[in-house]
Amino acid sequence: MRRFLVPLVAALALAAPAAAATNLPDVTKINGKVPPGTPTFAFKSEVLSRGRIGHGNETVVIRTTRLAGTRAPIHTHDHGGTTCVLQGQMTLYMQGHEPMTARAGQCYFMPRGHLMTGVNSGKRTAVMLDIFTVPIGAPTWTPREPGFRDQ
């Protein structure tokens, strides 16, 4: 019985809805440190594709441009996603993990529920494709850093 219960509990935990954004506390640190870079929304963010894939979900592809020395506000993803760097380099700072740098042609996965920020750690503008599968109409991310929640 236990061998069936453990996977079932794990599956239910993964399927559980995330807490409402209004109930989440503001966050200023990841792994006990303020991440490098100036927090700001992307210089440019353009939805390239939005397609329904069934079961009430859609895939959203966004081209994001981030200036050197800037970073995304600390945030979470309720459903995870993947970022592929097309130009420049980005470093992902994520709670519980070492920073990971991806350069043009490389991708990184952003699991659901983890506090994180993407930092343009290069000397030039970074361009990325962000790919998410979410319930139709759901946000792709939830800002958690003070000053970014309601924008």
Side-chain angles (χ1 to χ4, degrees):
M1 174 93 165
R2 180 182 166 140
R3 73 176 193 204
F4 296 108
L5 219 85
V6 171
L8 176 61
V9 170
L12 289 173
L14 289 174
T22 56
N23 296 333
L24 300 173
D26 284 338
V27 178
T28 59
K29 296 179 180 179
I30 293 179
N31 296 323
K33 297 179 184 175
V34 175
T38 303
T40 182
F41 288 114
F43 176 72
K44 185 175 181 184
S45 185
E46 176 186 11
V47 175
L48 299 179
S49 173
R50 183 182 294 269
R52 294 181 180 205
I53 59 171
H55 303 289
N57 293 315
E58 65 181 346
T59 296
V60 181
V61 179
I62 304 166
R63 182 184 5 233
T64 304
T65 303
R66 178 158 296 287
L67 300 177
T70 68
R71 66 173 173 84
I74 296 172
H75 62 279
T76 56
H77 297 281
D78 288 346
H79 302 280
T82 298
T83 292
C84 295
V85 180
L86 302 177
Q87 171 186 306
Q89 77 177 33
M90 292 292 294
T91 300
L92 177 67
Y93 287 79
M94 185 166 50
Q95 189 67 35
H97 299 270
E98 291 296 317
M100 184 185 82
T101 298
R103 292 171 178 79
Q106 298 177 321
C107 301
Y108 53 82
F109 177 70
M110 303 168 292
R112 71 182 258 174
H114 285 68
L115 291 168
M116 67 183 69
T117 183
V119 178
N120 180 339
S121 53
K123 296 185 187 299
R124 62 187 289 202
T125 298
V127 179
M128 302 149 284
L129 285 182
D130 296 313
I131 306 157
F132 302 97
T133 298
V134 298
I136 294 170
T140 57
W141 71 311
T142 302
R144 299 283 304 275
E145 196 157 346
F148 295 96
R149 178 74 53 84
D150 298 323
Q151 298 180 24

